[in-house]
Amino acid sequence: MKALIVIDMLEDFVHGALANPRAEAILEPLGRLLSHARSEGWVVVFSNDAHEPGDPELSIWGEHAMADTPGAQVIRELEPNPNERELLCPKRAYGAFDGTDLDARLRQLGVDEVVLSGQHTHICVRHTAYGALRRGYAITVPSDAVCAFEGVDEQDALDYLRSVYGARITAVAELIHEPAAVRQ
Ligand code: ZN
């Protein structure tokens, strides 16, 4: 069973405090992948920064995506529809598994492969990939549904995920058209 993990597609990371011009370009493919995941019955997870004052990384980036503020909301284009297979999973560090109950929730739902999307390829996607590797999940990353900050080499960031975490680097169209047998 696959889980699509949508990482930090939040107001502050698209339009606000840490706005990334590259984020606009992934919205369309990510939206298509999200629709596909929902229609195929994948688990969907929105892994969202929800910081509290004093969280260590705030000293690096400044305040962003503070819990219960508008900046910490998932952008309207990707509106979550929380239910037993679509989870909102707040986090206070880079990785989706760090200090959260995500692993237990995915195991309960029979997930053995995570499809990572969102931001940023070289930071939160990367730390989530490490968390997934450590816990034994297969890792897939559609390159057109993730983005790094401007000025960061996207290909280097993807190569790292492939060479260090064994991630399968693919594309949204490929994932959507994969035959069911391959999809499991
Ligand atoms: Zn953060």
Side-chain angles (χ1 to χ4, degrees):
M1 173 58 62
K2 283 186 172 71
L4 172 63
I5 304 187
V6 181
I7 299 167
D8 285 339
M9 290 302 289
L10 309 179
E11 282 295 332
D12 266 351
F13 286 103
V14 178
H15 308 116
L18 294 176
N20 182 10
R22 287 185 179 176
E24 292 290 333
I26 70 169
L27 287 182
E28 192 277 329
L30 179 48
R32 270 190 292 135
L33 183 58
L34 179 59
S35 299
H36 176 75
R38 284 168 171 157
S39 70
E40 292 290 305
W42 299 5
V43 174
V44 173
V45 177
F46 287 88
S47 172
N48 301 330
D49 259 8
H51 285 298
E52 300 289 343
D55 281 354
E57 63 167 71
L58 299 182
S59 67
I60 299 163
W61 304 104
E63 289 205 346
H64 62 274
M66 302 303 288
D68 302 319
T69 66
Q73 297 300 305
V74 175
I75 57 169
R76 189 173 306 135
E77 293 90 327
L78 300 174
E79 194 178 4
N81 173 30
N83 60 59
E84 68 230 12
R85 300 183 67 77
E86 186 158 332
L87 318 174
L88 290 174
C89 192
K91 63 185 175 71
R92 294 175 59 187
Y94 297 147
F97 293 97
D98 298 340
T100 71
D101 62 356
L102 180 59
D103 185 36
R105 295 170 85 183
L106 293 183
R107 284 183 197 286
Q108 203 167 38
L109 293 164
V111 171
D112 57 5
E113 177 180 352
V114 291
V115 178
L116 304 183
S117 66
Q119 305 186 86
H120 301 83
T121 320
H122 63 310
I123 308 175
C124 292
V125 173
R126 175 163 159 173
H127 286 79
T128 299
Y130 178 57
L133 173 77
R134 284 192 57 212
R135 291 165 179 83
Y137 295 94
I139 303 164
T140 297
V141 181
S143 61
D144 50 345
V146 293
C147 61
F149 283 133
E150 275 200 314
V152 172
D153 188 312
E154 194 73 47
Q155 195 56 52
D156 281 354
L158 291 167
D159 284 346
Y160 189 97
L161 300 178
R162 182 182 45 73
S163 61
V164 179
Y165 303 139
R168 176 170 68 113
I169 308 299
T170 180
V172 166
E174 270 180 55
L175 274 175
I176 288 177
H177 293 116
E178 236 167 43
V182 176
R183 212 161 51 214
Q184 296 168 17

